[in-house]
Amino acid sequence: MAGEHPVLETHGLTIRFGGHVAVDNVSCAFRPGTLTAIVGPNGAGKTTYFNLISGQLKATDGRVSLFGEDVTQMPAPQRARRGMGRAFQLTNLFPRLTVLENVRLAVQSRSGLGFNLTSMWAKHVELIEKAEHCLHRVALAERRNTLAALLPHGDQRKLEVAILLALEPEVFMFDEPTAGMSVDEIPVILELIQQIKAQGDKTILLVEHKMDVVRSLADRIIVLHQGQLVADGLPAEVIASPIVQEAYLGIIKEPAHA
Amino acid sequence: MLTTVLSGDFPRSRWLAALLVTVVAGLAAAPFIFPGTRSLDVAARILVFILLAASYDLLLGYTGIVSFAHTMFFGIGGYGVGIAMSKLGPTWSSLAAGSAISLALAVALAFLVGLLSLRVKTIFFAMITLAVASFFQILASQLSDFTGGEDGLNYKLPELFLPGTKFAEATLFGVELSGRLFSYYVLFAGSLALFLVLLRVVNSPFGRVLLSIRENEFRSEAIGYRTVAYRAVANCLGAAVAAAAGILYAIWLRYTGPDTTLSFNIMIDILLMVVIGGMGTMYGSVIGATLFVVAQNYLQDLMKLASNATKGIALLPDLLHPDRWLLWLGVLFVVCVYYFPAGIVGRLRTRKAPPAP
């Protein structure tokens, strides 16, 4: 099921903040049609690794390549337009715009209409319909006219995912998509990730703390610890490996109800 | 039809709609309703400042750019016409040349300032624009051979604009069909057209990106918008419209000087108009500019009346003395900001608001 050529690769990716090495020489390849879970204790460098891949941070050393092209020096907007989509861990929306407008802006970015100054945005009905479709998929359509800032936390997380869907990326990067969601909201997101995976040609990266989520979704797990990649393999292998058992299981494994 | 003209951005409040209709109708008929020299000057000033405030709102209210160089671009337009008229003579071609050169200069300068500094944080950008604007102000007063220094420039215009020009012996509703009338309606048409252009821009796909930058620049980049480029275009557009306002004002006044264009007081006035009217609403600049200019011109008269009426009562006549008008304008401003943090338009819209998409 996995494609042969990796869509996304990092080679010796490193970033230092002063003396602190937050991501240390991480080399990894991600193939289409697979979901890779990235786990590790807090402060292991998971989100920083994401920031390096999607361009919010510039690497001190190493390379990122997307579809075989070196994008290490490329700013975030260009990477996004080349198919890298990111949902953020800390909710990161346009607070005083409506839910629909948040998603519509992402659809519009994809359509390349941004520098159109002369038409009315409301006339581009196809963009609005697409945005509404994305809202339906995360079960948020009824709140389309609410300001993003006024949404409850769980809905803000869903909106974050809807924006990611609207970008129609090739690489989906989920940073703890279910964090802070109530138990009954989580299945919507998990099912959605399953659907994306089932398309078979998308590359999905998922940072997640909940082990049962990781077990049920991931084709592969990589473990980061103090910025270094310390384990990489099939879920069963990685979870069973001595290094993970010894060092991380206590941290990775959430209480059974989570 | 109306949707196309207003770009789908309706007042969304009955009171606001009524206010806007009143202001526009009043300005359209001003030469006939208020034919006096002073009152027509006030009407012309309102027209110019609506445009100036609206173009500033594009930056401040829609994009979140704080710039103090807006009067510089206004001045470039004014001096463009002034210098062209006084050096090249009062012909249509020199008017066109002066306008074209000043528009190009304003856009180029806005682009340059933007390129150098839009990457930095808001406050630093504000400081840089302040520095550039001060530099320009000094430049204008030093190059007195060109600019007339502190005295400014008086010049003639093509005949059509001159008050002495009569188009017909007849009068219309008792008003002479003179060059002054023509100038006023050129100003009115120019201001209205450019305002509607700005209204279209903020309601275009481009305008929505500007909103996203104001709301969360980081996220805007993450979904693929090169925000620096968008801000640069917004900056150039704002500068071009400000320069156009300067051109129109220079045509109306037949005078350009530091006090009518470059002064920092005007910058503050524009800022207040946008804030009082309501940032990020476009219509706010219409309401803000109208209120502000009317208050600037007539508050003193009103206070004189009040001061005379309260004669004999302790303290009150002194407080209401016309010389204290700035104090009362200040009080008015504080009250406005305190009670209408979203401006007058924002306040009127929240009375009964269908949510804006």
Side-chain angles (χ1 to χ4, degrees):
Chain A
M1 80 190 220
E4 55 291 5
H5 292 296
V7 163
L8 176 71
E9 276 179 283
T10 68
H11 310 270
L13 202 61
T14 302
I15 186 167
R16 288 184 203 93
F17 298 112
H20 175 64
V21 188
V23 172
D24 190 357
N25 196 22
V26 175
S27 299
C28 200
F30 303 94
R31 285 167 209 287
T34 57
L35 188 150
T36 308
I38 302 166
V39 300
N42 286 326
K46 303 181 298 291
T47 296
T48 310
Y49 185 50
F50 262 25
N51 282 335
L52 287 171
I53 292 176
S54 58
Q56 270 78 28
L57 288 173
K58 286 267 176 293
T60 322
D61 234 319
R63 287 187 290 122
V64 180
S65 59
L66 182 64
F67 296 110
E69 182 189 11
D70 188 343
V71 297
T72 318
Q73 297 306 323
M74 199 180 273
Q78 275 93 322
R79 295 191 203 190
R81 288 206 299 273
R82 269 160 221 250
M84 212 158 339
R86 168 94 187 264
F88 290 85
Q89 178 187 18
L90 301 172
T91 302
N92 209 326
L93 304 164
F94 304 115
R96 285 183 300 161
L97 301 181
T98 62
V99 166
L100 181 68
E101 185 57 24
N102 267 269
V103 181
R104 205 200 59 84
L105 272 160
V107 178
Q108 180 184 299
S109 166
R110 181 93 180 104
S111 75
L113 267 175
F115 275 109
N116 183 324
L117 285 85
T118 51
S119 66
M120 275 182 251
W121 69 269
K123 288 267 163 97
H124 297 278
V125 181
E126 72 289 353
L127 303 190
I128 297 171
E129 279 168 359
K130 247 186 186 170
E132 277 171 345
H133 177 68
C134 293
L135 285 176
H136 269 292
R137 288 186 69 185
V138 298
L140 211 54
E142 270 140 50
R143 319 225 44 174
R144 63 197 290 279
N145 290 331
T146 312
L147 295 185
L150 302 179
L151 287 179
H153 180 80
D155 284 350
Q156 289 188 340
R157 305 293 308 163
K158 287 182 185 169
L159 180 53
E160 186 77 40
V161 173
I163 291 173
L164 177 57
L165 288 178
L167 291 172
E168 297 179 346
E170 292 302 318
V171 179
F172 286 77
M173 302 169 73
F174 292 99
D175 198 346
E176 298 194 41
T178 62
M181 273 192 175
S182 67
V183 179
D184 52 318
E185 286 173 316
I186 292 175
V188 178
I189 299 300
L190 296 189
E191 197 176 305
L192 198 75
I193 296 175
Q194 285 284 16
Q195 283 170 14
I196 298 166
K197 202 178 136 184
Q199 289 179 319
D201 57 346
K202 305 297 180 213
T203 311
I204 308 169
L205 279 64
L206 170 72
V207 168
E208 185 55 76
H209 275 298
K210 301 185 181 80
M211 265 333 261
D212 53 340
V213 171
V214 170
R215 226 187 299 254
S216 70
L217 287 176
D219 303 306
R220 171 191 178 198
I221 297 179
I222 63 177
V223 183
L224 289 182
H225 177 53
Q226 293 179 354
Q228 290 177 332
L229 197 155
V230 293
D232 178 354
L234 295 171
E237 290 170 14
V238 171
I239 292 168
S241 70
I243 183 165
V244 172
Q245 287 283 335
E246 272 172 40
Y248 309 114
L249 215 57
I251 302 160
I252 296 168
K253 201 172 194 175
E254 294 272 312
H257 67 80
Chain B
M1 169 64 191
L2 196 61
T3 309
T4 309
V5 172
L6 299 182
S7 307
D9 189 351
F10 293 102
R12 299 205 306 277
S13 149
R14 226 173 290 163
W15 281 100
L16 179 58
L19 264 176
L20 287 170
V21 168
T22 312
V23 168
V24 173
L27 288 170
F32 302 98
I33 320 175
F34 315 109
T37 312
R38 181 174 169 212
S39 49
L40 201 56
D41 265 333
V42 170
R45 209 175 141 79
I46 291 174
L47 284 169
V48 169
F49 276 90
I50 285 175
L51 199 51
L52 204 52
S55 59
Y56 194 63
D57 195 24
L58 176 72
L59 304 184
L60 182 71
Y62 283 87
T63 323
I65 298 175
V66 181
S67 160
F68 289 112
H70 216 59
T71 45
M72 174 175 85
F73 299 119
F74 185 50
I76 288 176
Y79 276 101
V81 170
I83 293 171
M85 290 294 114
S86 48
K87 299 284 168 198
L88 304 174
T91 61
W92 286 96
S93 53
S94 56
L95 180 64
S99 306
I101 290 171
S102 54
L103 280 174
L105 183 66
V107 170
L109 210 58
F111 183 74
L112 215 65
V113 171
L115 207 64
L116 290 177
S117 50
L118 277 174
R119 280 174 192 279
V120 300
K121 285 205 161 56
T122 317
I123 182 72
F124 295 113
F125 180 75
M127 291 299 123
I128 289 167
T129 55
L130 192 59
V132 174
S134 310
F135 170 76
F136 197 81
Q137 209 173 345
I138 294 167
L139 197 69
S141 79
Q142 294 298 308
L143 290 174
S144 49
D145 287 346
F146 260 109
T147 60
E150 292 297 320
D151 298 332
L153 296 164
N154 277 299
Y155 41 84
K156 288 194 125 183
L157 283 167
E159 214 177 333
L160 214 51
F161 291 112
L162 299 179
T165 309
K166 300 270 183 291
F167 298 112
E169 284 305 316
T171 58
L172 188 63
F173 305 118
V175 177
E176 279 182 344
L177 299 174
S178 68
R180 193 172 160 76
L181 200 66
F182 177 72
S183 299
Y184 183 82
Y185 281 108
V186 166
L187 177 54
F188 182 82
S191 185
L192 184 67
L194 284 173
F195 179 84
L196 291 177
V197 167
L198 283 176
L199 195 61
R200 170 56 61 91
V201 168
V202 300
N203 287 295
S204 70
F206 173 80
R208 306 313 276 188
V209 181
L210 298 187
L211 283 184
S212 82
I213 294 173
R214 178 193 77 188
E215 288 298 302
N216 188 345
E217 182 168 1
F218 173 84
R219 183 56 160 162
S220 190
E221 293 215 320
I223 62 175
Y225 294 116
R226 270 177 25 241
T227 56
V228 176
Y230 284 88
R231 292 170 65 170
V233 172
N235 212 33
C236 290
L237 205 67
V241 177
I247 291 168
L248 291 170
Y249 203 34
I251 291 174
W252 172 255
L253 286 179
R254 280 170 291 123
Y255 166 80
T256 297
D259 291 339
T260 57
T261 54
L262 293 172
S263 127
F264 199 70
N265 287 337
I266 298 181
M267 191 61 244
I268 303 286
D269 292 351
I270 304 170
L271 193 68
L272 295 186
M273 288 172 197
V274 173
V275 172
I276 291 174
M279 286 194 282
T281 59
M282 276 299 144
Y283 293 122
S285 47
V286 178
I287 306 294
T290 307
L291 261 183
F292 198 88
V293 175
V294 168
Q296 248 181 348
N297 285 280
Y298 295 109
L299 196 58
Q300 273 176 294
D301 295 347
L302 201 71
M303 287 174 63
K304 195 183 254 167
L305 282 179
S307 181
N308 287 336
T310 51
K311 243 181 200 133
I313 308 170
L315 211 62
L316 264 183
D318 281 337
L319 269 177
L320 294 172
H321 192 274
D323 286 351
R324 312 275 178 279
W325 77 279
L326 261 178
L327 170 79
W328 289 103
L329 196 64
V331 170
L332 217 61
F333 176 64
V334 171
V335 169
C336 254
V337 172
Y338 194 80
Y339 285 103
F340 316 131
I344 295 171
V345 171
R347 182 74 191 81
L348 287 175
R349 278 184 176 170
T350 46
R351 284 165 62 95
K352 195 185 100 207

